[in-house]
Amino acid sequence: MAAKADKITLIGGWASPFVMRVRIALNLKGISYEMLQETVGKKSELLLVSNPVYKKIPVLIHNGTPLCESMIIVEYIAETWKSVGMPILPSDLYDRAIARFWTAYVDDKLHGSIIKLRKMMKGTPEAEVEAEKMTTTLQLLEEAFWKCSLGKSFFGGDNIGCLDIAVGSYLGWIKAVEKIVGIKFLDEEKVPGLVAWSERFCGHGAVKEIMPDADKLVEFTAVLMRATAAK
């Protein structure tokens, strides 16, 4: 457990997949923390002071010292509280490198498609093209799941690991864009391994209470779109 003197604060937002990564890691380790929600369209003074370079969430403040970038924070949590709970990082350095590779891949391809698709309308040619890219990304992740999991429940094996956190943080948004563009991405016929994995991941005790509801994310998207149009 975290030492009694430890003060842990997370600056973030409920809809951010990157913030969710940090929350899952903290939950897996059983670490208590204070969550400070940022207001959409505004940046608090604490955020600006704590992350003066990128000025983005999440920021973890551990005993007054800020740390930025979601997977850097996840690794910090995994190493700082290594003896608490199940390990988050692979012990094998090659496996750890592979997890980092796929994390970079999903942050490039999956995140990019989600950002584009949530701005599109059902049935448009643009949505169909981007949907194909999303489908290809998920099919490659399906192959990666079988290779990394070795037939076990998670990318990390028997337990949730850093790659599960990286990919799983997008599940709420994948379901949200399914509703927005009317296309099923987590399809049992195309990616059966990922579908079964996503159900296990979302049902895990460290995840289920903080996984954002797809309908709320759709509403959140509408608010963002209106705010952008008003500028």
Side-chain angles (χ1 to χ4, degrees), residues 45 76 85-86 137 142 173:
E45 185 62 30
Y76 175 83
M86 299 302 296
T137 297
E142 171 83 0
W173 276 109

Side-chain angles (χ1 to χ4, degrees), residues 24-224:
I24 293 171
L26 290 168
N27 287 350
L28 284 170
K29 293 296 186 179
I31 299 168
S32 298
Y33 62 96
E34 179 186 11
M35 175 79 174
L36 299 181
Q37 291 275 352
E38 286 288 298
T39 302
V40 177
K42 298 180 182 179
K43 297 182 188 293
S44 69
E45 185 62 30
L46 182 59
L47 173 62
L48 295 175
V49 170
S50 302
N51 188 1
V53 177
Y54 290 113
K55 303 177 177 63
K56 292 181 178 180
I57 55 175
V59 177
L60 183 78
I61 304 176
H62 183 198
N63 291 336
T65 302
L67 191 67
C68 310
E69 297 297 303
S70 64
M71 293 309 294
I72 291 175
I73 300 172
V74 168
E75 291 199 20
Y76 175 83
I77 292 168
E79 295 289 1
T80 301
W81 292 281
K82 185 181 291 187
S83 62
V84 178
M86 299 302 296
I88 292 174
L89 300 175
S91 57
D92 182 85
L93 292 180
Y94 176 78
D95 291 342
R96 194 174 296 193
I98 292 298
R100 286 173 176 156
F101 169 85
W102 284 110
T103 295
Y105 177 78
V106 298
D107 282 351
D108 178 22
K109 303 297 183 181
L110 194 56
H111 182 250
S113 287
I114 288 170
I115 292 296
K116 292 176 183 176
L117 283 167
R118 72 182 188 180
K119 300 176 183 178
M120 295 178 178
M121 302 291 290
K122 292 182 181 180
T124 61
E126 294 82 5
E128 294 290 339
V129 170
E130 199 58 46
E132 279 298 316
K133 294 180 182 178
M134 171 86 93
T135 298
T136 298
T137 297
L138 291 174
Q139 287 173 334
L140 286 172
L141 283 174
E142 171 83 0
E143 296 176 15
F145 171 72
W146 290 116
K147 290 178 181 178
C148 293
S149 69
L150 298 176
K152 296 182 179 180
S153 297
F154 299 101
F155 282 93
D158 291 320
N159 302 287
I160 289 177
C162 61
L163 184 52
D164 294 280
I165 294 172
V167 181
S169 62
Y170 288 114
L171 287 173
W173 276 109
I174 292 174
K175 294 174 182 177
V177 295
E178 285 181 339
K179 291 176 176 289
I180 292 170
V181 298
I183 297 172
K184 187 73 172 176
F185 294 112
L186 290 172
D187 188 327
E188 289 187 4
E189 292 186 3
K190 295 180 179 179
V191 286
L194 280 185
V195 171
W197 162 81
S198 69
E199 292 173 356
R200 289 190 294 270
F201 182 83
C202 290
H204 193 282
V207 178
K208 61 183 178 181
E209 297 300 325
I210 61 173
M211 177 63 69
D213 178 74
D215 288 329
K216 289 184 179 180
L217 289 174
V218 172
E219 293 173 7
F220 179 79
T221 299
V223 172
L224 285 180

